[in-house]
Amino acid sequence: MNNKNTTKQQKHFNENSIIKIMIVEDNRFIRSGWEAVIQANKNFSLVGSFPDCETAFNSDVSQKTDLVLMDIGLPGMSGIEGVKYLKEKYPAIIIVMCTVHDDSEEIFQAICAGAVGYLTKRTSPDELIKSLIEAYNGGSPMTPSVARKVISSFQNVKGSENENTVSELNEREQQILSLMAQGKSYNTIADEVCLSVDGVYYHIRHIYEKLHVHSRAEAVAEGIKKRLIAPPK
């Protein structure tokens, strides 16, 4: 579907800007509060307000929306699934998530899916307005407690990646890769590790698969880069 949201454009807020906003929130009291804040601001235009993603996406409102303010814990399609749907259909649409519980995993998933901001529902009306304008201008508004959890989530993922890298090859594979780095022939390697040459080739195939390489040189370079083996002296 071709519409103005299929091509991402840089937006700049000024006093004459009108930001077209859609709300997706199942709690009618919170939804009414958001509606009142948006409708009271001359730079905001409320183009739609819905209790769930299914109702919102079955309408044509997404096509004329600049920014979506959406709950993460929705009935039916979750907020995270809603983000994925919107970013696939309308890549330029701006999505700011809101939640009661600042759960680290949900925050991380929503941001990975394409949300640019994450606020708790305790955010004041003034802060909500500032956050929506910030998101429209290309920023990533976050409640401070949420920001800390986002940083923690990314650090945990980074730590997991490092752990996976270290254990990417088993001890025998690291031993064989180290001997390969020393330039030893496959026959010599077989003798040193007490395997047949076919056994060495078997492990080398697994090394190549795990490191996503196709040659000895690439395997050695990747092994050194990932600190699986020491550089040859």
Side-chain angles (χ1 to χ4, degrees):
M1 182 184 298
N2 291 323
N3 57 68
K4 67 178 181 180
N5 273 319
T6 56
T7 301
K8 195 162 188 173
Q9 297 178 341
Q10 182 65 43
K11 298 178 174 69
H12 297 285
F13 181 83
N14 59 57
E15 61 181 13
N16 298 315
S17 295
I18 300 295
I19 305 174
K20 294 181 282 296
I21 299 174
M22 176 171 75
I23 293 172
V24 186
E25 164 61 60
D26 62 312
N27 185 306
R28 65 186 179 90
F29 297 107
I30 293 174
R31 190 169 66 248
S32 295
W34 290 352
E35 290 170 359
V37 171
I38 290 167
Q39 290 172 329
N41 191 291
K42 67 182 181 66
N43 295 111
F44 294 162
S45 172
L46 182 64
V47 294
S49 185
F50 305 93
D52 53 64
C53 289
E54 288 83 350
T55 307
F57 301 159
N58 282 332
S59 74
D60 63 351
V61 171
S62 299
Q63 300 179 41
K64 50 192 177 187
T65 298
D66 295 317
L67 187 151
V68 178
L69 180 61
M70 182 159 60
D71 181 20
I72 197 167
L74 294 166
M77 182 185 288
S78 72
I80 294 171
E81 293 169 330
V83 174
K84 292 177 181 176
Y85 173 90
L86 285 171
K87 295 308 289 187
E88 182 177 343
K89 286 272 190 180
Y90 311 100
I93 209 163
I94 300 162
I95 305 170
V96 175
M97 306 298 288
C98 268
T99 187
V100 173
H101 306 291
D102 48 357
D103 179 81
S104 300
E105 183 59 29
E106 287 189 335
I107 296 166
F108 184 73
Q109 289 182 26
I111 291 172
C112 287
V116 302
Y118 211 114
L119 309 172
T120 64
K121 293 181 181 179
R122 297 185 295 273
T123 301
S124 69
D126 286 345
E127 284 299 318
L128 178 61
I129 290 170
K130 286 168 58 178
S131 295
L132 296 181
I133 292 172
E134 181 183 346
Y136 183 81
N137 273 336
S140 297
M142 288 188 193
T143 302
S145 62
V146 168
R148 285 193 294 272
K149 287 180 178 292
V150 169
I151 292 170
S152 176
S153 293
F154 275 102
Q155 287 173 337
N156 290 339
V157 168
K158 187 64 178 174
S160 298
E161 287 175 350
N162 290 338
E163 289 173 9
N164 290 338
T165 296
V166 171
S167 61
E168 204 163 12
L169 302 182
N170 62 37
E171 187 176 346
R172 176 51 61 88
E173 289 163 349
Q174 289 186 48
Q175 181 186 17
I176 290 173
L177 183 58
S178 181
L179 293 171
M180 290 167 64
Q182 295 171 32
K184 297 190 176 183
S185 69
Y186 296 132
N187 285 327
T188 302
I189 292 173
D191 289 340
E192 292 202 20
V193 299
C194 301
L195 286 174
S196 67
V197 174
D198 285 341
V200 170
Y201 281 133
Y202 170 83
H203 285 293
I204 289 173
R205 281 197 298 274
H206 280 279
I207 291 170
Y208 285 6
E209 288 172 2
K210 290 180 178 181
L211 298 182
H212 306 291
V213 298
H214 303 92
S215 69
R216 175 193 282 236
E218 289 178 349
V220 170
E222 195 68 13
I224 293 170
K225 185 173 81 172
K226 294 188 173 185
R227 299 184 180 180
L228 298 169
I229 59 172
K233 297 179 181 178

